[in-house]
Amino acid sequence: MRRLLEFSRRLRRAAGSPPLLKRPAVPARRRCAVVVLALTSSAIAGDLQPPGLATERSDLNAKDQARVTAVTRPTTDFSKPEPFELMQGGAGTSEKDVDRDAFSQSSANLTFEEEGTFKLGNALFRKNWVSSPSSTQASDGLGPLFNERACQNCHLKDGRGRPPQGDAGTTSMFLRLAREASSAEEKAAIAGHQLLNFPDPVYGAQLQELAVPGLRGEGRMHVDYQERKVELTDGAVVFLRKPSYSVTEFGYGPLDPRTTLSPRLTPPMIGLGLIEQIAPADILAHADPDDLDGDGISGKPNIVRDSHSGGLTLGRFGWKAQTASIRQQAADAFAGDIGISTPEEPKHWGDCTAAEAKCLAMPNGVQARLGQVEAPSPVMDLVTFYSQNLAVPARRDLAAPDVLAGKKVFYEIGCASCHTPKFVTRRDAPNKAQAFQLIWPYSDFLLHDMGPDLADGQPVGDATGSEWRTPPLWGIGMTQTVNGNSFFLHDGRARSLTEAILWHGGEAQSVRDRFAAANAGERDALVKFLESL
């Protein structure tokens, strides 16, 4: 309870609210009680609760709330598929052919006019930016330091990235560079949600391997793997590969000794607009930072500062849930991955730092007649709309006996404790395509301690160096079809779904151990279920 009260006080200090009044302890009847107490403390002093942290849904009447509660209740019947389970992305689910373009389809419930907007956004998502100055004008501004020239080059076929393979480069996996707070002032900035962490003083927040002509890249990511043999209870043997990361060919001297390296694989783009419209209250209801219910799962939200309003809100995107909106995620990627400035991140020289003077001396791509940044608001509008409306593909083989058996294993060994199957999106979503949809992302969008093996040692906001956001599982069974590989987890170390499960530790250790203790038929069935998503 002391930790919970401190969590409440920290939130209130960040929002500029009066101190929390002391309250008597209350019994832990359900998980949401933890976060409800933490986030509704403002009501005690009579001030307003941040809308991005609301712990009750304001978009539903009592009848609708009862319907939502009933339809999202975990199933206990594994003899047949649940109603609407086929359409895991709601009415926007794509039922088109299962092929390499399965993640690149628009939401099926867009209007004809919106389809045109989606196609324009797709064109910008695929657009290759070039260095300045250039005769193209509206396409220049690349870098000067960068990782790729286009969004699509990182999010391959709108799907999952892959770790570097020999000379294939690191197009779709990057190294984030950061250190934790060290001084009292820095710790106060993190506690007040003014910053997420502190970039390397020379290389910035991300290692940029590429550069425009006349400039040198920052260095190259190097990965070494060490094989680890794991014997399961029934005698089956699985080999895991443990990666270690370093940087070679430094362009501007060594990294700061305190800087940590965190590899980040680009995630699939499907269903992002639906995730954005899950009510904060429904995500916070699953949080239990002090594990008051004693089940060993202590998911917590990453509370972040909204870049537009300046208020506190719920982070739900990124490997550490560090970003609150799709638009901000896109702006961060433009700045960090391509070196393009936007109204949200007006960084004309991308991630270049003061120590990289030659980079800052390079020309930028701002065209006064088009705006004050390289990718002005109309560009951001279209890219954001495209990113919000990439459809989730329909389930496959969901009534097959082995898939149903695997679903039962998924629930019985505890996977659903973090990979929450269902949500119903907000009724008042800005776009009707995402409004009041029953969706099946299989994630609680909270942070969980995944143990030392998966730890990167890099805090991001409220996320510690061993905590990660639960990634959505929808579409995971189509990774091989869309991207031609089966690399999973934040750094692609797992080469199969079985390996990915066996890497789970920390809060998921008991689930991992139950999977390892299951017989081969149960394990195979669980994988079949995941492949049907």
Side-chain angles (χ1 to χ4, degrees):
M1 181 58 70
R2 285 195 301 272
R3 288 175 57 198
L4 173 58
L5 293 175
E6 178 56 32
F7 181 48
S8 301
R9 293 188 185 100
R10 182 156 54 87
L11 284 173
R12 295 179 55 71
R13 284 197 299 270
S17 304
L20 174 67
L21 301 179
K22 188 174 181 179
R23 300 185 66 181
V26 295
R29 296 186 180 90
R30 52 184 302 196
R31 283 188 176 185
C32 66
V34 177
V35 177
V36 168
L37 176 59
L39 300 179
T40 60
S41 58
S42 55
I44 301 172
D47 59 338
L48 295 176
Q49 180 176 289
L53 300 176
T55 54
E56 293 183 3
R57 291 190 64 161
S58 60
D59 61 309
L60 302 179
N61 58 34
K63 182 178 179 181
D64 280 346
Q65 182 62 70
R67 290 173 60 197
V68 169
T69 301
V71 77
T72 57
R73 186 174 294 120
T75 187
T76 56
D77 180 4
F78 303 101
S79 65
K80 60 183 183 299
E82 296 173 68
F84 314 113
E85 192 173 2
L86 173 70
M87 307 294 281
Q88 59 181 344
T93 301
S94 170
E95 296 184 86
K96 294 191 176 180
D97 292 343
V98 177
D99 57 23
R100 289 203 66 202
D101 294 321
F103 287 175
S104 300
Q105 306 301 325
S106 61
S107 298
N109 54 350
L110 293 184
T111 66
F112 180 78
E113 182 180 1
E114 288 172 333
E115 281 285 352
T117 303
F118 179 87
K119 288 180 170 62
L120 289 172
N122 184 21
L124 288 170
F125 198 78
R126 293 172 174 271
K127 172 182 178 176
N128 279 303
W129 295 81
V130 298
S131 57
S132 302
S134 169
S135 60
T136 60
Q137 295 190 350
S139 294
D140 59 345
L142 177 69
L145 296 168
F146 61 97
N147 288 104
E148 255 304 338
R149 297 175 180 271
C151 306
Q152 183 72 220
N153 296 349
C154 300
H155 297 277
L156 309 173
K157 304 294 287 185
D158 301 296
R160 191 181 306 271
R162 61 180 300 158
Q165 301 278 306
D167 295 330
T170 58
T171 294
S172 52
M173 191 170 88
F174 313 125
L175 280 180
R176 292 290 173 87
L177 311 175
R179 63 172 176 83
E180 59 185 345
S182 56
S183 68
E185 292 78 10
E186 289 179 347
K187 291 176 182 177
I190 297 296
H193 301 277
Q194 303 303 323
L195 296 169
L196 294 172
N197 52 28
F198 298 89
D200 186 82
V202 173
Y203 292 95
Q206 185 166 301
L207 184 73
Q208 311 284 342
E209 296 201 357
L210 304 177
V212 299
L215 196 64
R216 183 180 179 183
E218 293 182 321
R220 291 185 64 83
M221 178 198 310
H222 180 74
V223 190
D224 283 316
Y225 293 104
Q226 185 175 20
E227 289 247 315
R228 176 184 300 180
K229 179 180 178 181
V230 177
E231 187 168 341
L232 308 184
T233 303
D234 63 1
V237 173
V238 179
F239 287 93
L240 306 181
R241 56 176 192 169
K242 172 74 172 177
S244 61
Y245 296 91
S246 59
V247 178
T248 62
E249 302 175 35
F250 280 113
Y252 305 90
L255 290 167
D256 186 287
R258 299 170 295 173
T259 297
T260 57
L261 308 178
S262 180
R264 305 288 177 84
L265 207 68
T266 51
M269 297 285 293
I270 57 173
L272 297 185
L274 294 167
I275 294 170
E276 193 169 41
Q277 295 309 317
I278 298 174
D282 288 350
I283 294 175
L284 295 174
H286 293 277
D288 185 10
D290 288 318
D291 192 21
L292 294 187
D293 63 6
D295 68 350
I297 307 297
S298 52
K300 72 179 188 185
N302 200 349
I303 306 301
V304 299
R305 185 72 60 179
D306 186 286
S307 59
H308 178 70
S309 70
L312 295 179
T313 191
L314 179 67
R316 60 182 78 195
F317 299 106
W319 282 104
K320 299 221 174 190
Q322 72 272 16
T323 310
S325 70
I326 296 170
R327 193 182 188 94
Q328 186 61 48
Q329 185 86 342
D332 290 344
F334 266 124
D337 301 340
I338 311 177
I340 297 295
S341 58
T342 63
E344 291 74 18
E345 295 291 338
K347 301 174 181 178
H348 307 321
W349 292 272
D351 195 34
C352 296
T353 69
E356 296 170 315
K358 190 174 181 180
C359 178
L360 295 177
M362 291 284 185
N364 63 59
V366 175
Q367 305 292 331
R369 65 185 179 83
L370 300 176
Q372 298 304 307
V373 291
E374 293 159 330
S377 291
V379 172
M380 286 299 295
D381 292 343
L382 290 168
V383 171
T384 300
F385 187 85
Y386 175 76
S387 302
Q388 288 171 330
N389 288 284
L390 283 159
V392 180
R395 288 279 304 278
R396 290 130 349 258
D397 304 321
L398 71 168
D402 53 355
V403 170
L404 290 171
K407 182 180 178 181
K408 183 178 181 182
V409 175
F410 183 88
Y411 277 76
E412 287 182 342
I413 69 174
C415 302
S417 296
C418 299
H419 291 282
T420 305
K422 299 173 278 185
F423 290 93
V424 174
T425 59
R426 297 184 60 89
R427 256 201 187 282
D428 57 357
N431 188 332
K432 289 183 179 180
Q434 284 95 40
F436 210 52
Q437 299 294 314
L438 172 62
I439 62 173
W440 308 69
Y442 286 92
S443 171
D444 60 8
F445 303 101
L446 296 171
L447 299 170
H448 294 275
D449 188 331
M450 296 301 292
D453 279 340
L454 289 180
D456 65 350
Q458 192 173 104
V460 181
D462 289 333
T464 69
S466 61
E467 290 178 328
W468 300 93
R469 182 198 71 155
T470 307
L473 297 180
W474 53 12
I476 198 167
M478 300 184 70
T479 303
Q480 181 67 46
T481 299
V482 172
N483 293 123
N485 68 70
S486 296
F487 296 118
F488 302 108
L489 301 178
H490 68 280
D491 56 4
R493 70 177 66 189
R495 295 159 293 188
S496 68
L497 292 169
T498 295
E499 287 186 26
I501 297 169
L502 291 174
W503 273 114
H504 283 49
E507 295 174 42
Q509 184 68 47
S510 60
V511 176
R512 177 262 178 218
D513 291 346
R514 285 192 283 270
F515 175 77
N519 62 50
E522 292 169 329
R523 295 195 304 271
D524 290 345
L526 175 57
V527 170
K528 286 289 187 183
F529 167 68
L530 296 174
E531 289 175 344
S532 78
L533 297 180

